[in-house]
Amino acid sequence: MIATTYTTAWAQSPAKAVSEVLPHDKTTLVTIADARSGIAQWVDLGEPGDSPGDIFVFDQPLLNNNHEPIGKNSGFCIRTLPGKFSECQWTLTLADGTITVAGRESDTRTSMIPVIGGSGKYLLVRGVMATTPNLDKTFTQILTLYCFRQDRTTGACQ
């Protein structure tokens, strides 16, 4: 019933239906995930060594551009293609809220990971994170965030 109602509304006024889901705010946030410290544990579940199904669990410092601590970078990855790709989900915990991302991450190249939600200041946020492995075992994470806030009184997504 809901899909039918939305489809009918879109058919009657496609411009209006599209405008209801457009973001009203865009923010860029740059962080550095420090894989040199904190918890980083491989769980070898498949064949010995790097193989499909292995899990990597981490809880590591999150830094700003000056390499000063600003939070935590915590999550897990499941190996899908040995030596190349994993399917990951992690949360960036900051003083004013959290941002959760999930998607396919490359071992060696920049990956575009969808932002799937957040809490606090980042409530109802969506977007994409470009995460790039650096030679010093850190990851530069550039988040482009879009706010789809429904309640302007909460202060979320600002």
Side-chain angles (χ1 to χ4, degrees):
M1 181 67 174
I2 293 172
T4 304
T5 303
Y6 182 78
T7 303
T8 303
W10 183 83
Q12 292 172 355
S13 177
K16 182 179 179 190
V18 170
S19 69
E20 291 174 359
V21 295
L22 291 178
H24 71 275
D25 196 11
K26 176 183 170 184
T27 302
T28 301
L29 175 65
V30 178
T31 65
I32 298 170
D34 188 356
R36 300 169 297 188
S37 61
I39 296 169
Q41 179 69 46
W42 275 101
V43 181
D44 195 356
L45 296 175
E47 296 177 18
D50 189 8
S51 62
D54 291 348
I55 298 174
F56 179 67
V57 180
F58 56 94
D59 187 32
Q60 301 166 331
L62 189 62
L63 312 172
N64 64 16
N65 279 334
N66 297 322
H67 291 259
E68 300 164 332
I70 58 170
K72 293 295 249 175
N73 200 56
S74 308
F76 62 92
C77 295
I78 299 173
R79 179 58 96 189
T80 55
L81 187 58
K84 295 190 178 194
F85 295 103
S86 294
E87 188 67 24
C88 301
Q89 179 176 326
W90 71 92
T91 300
L92 291 77
T93 302
L94 303 162
D96 50 3
T98 65
I99 301 168
T100 301
V101 299
R104 187 178 196 196
E105 186 175 28
S106 171
D107 287 2
T108 59
R109 298 182 182 189
T110 298
S111 301
M112 302 303 284
I113 310 288
V115 172
I116 60 172
S119 69
K121 177 180 177 179
Y122 307 101
L123 184 65
L124 302 176
V125 73
R126 295 291 184 268
V128 65
M129 170 196 284
T131 180
T132 304
N134 300 316
L135 295 177
D136 66 353
K137 296 190 179 182
T138 63
F139 292 79
T140 300
Q141 302 175 142
I142 302 172
L143 294 96
T144 303
L145 305 173
Y146 299 94
C147 182
F148 291 87
R149 178 179 55 219
Q150 296 172 356
D151 180 2
R152 292 179 185 262
T153 64
T154 66
C157 286
Q158 294 183 7

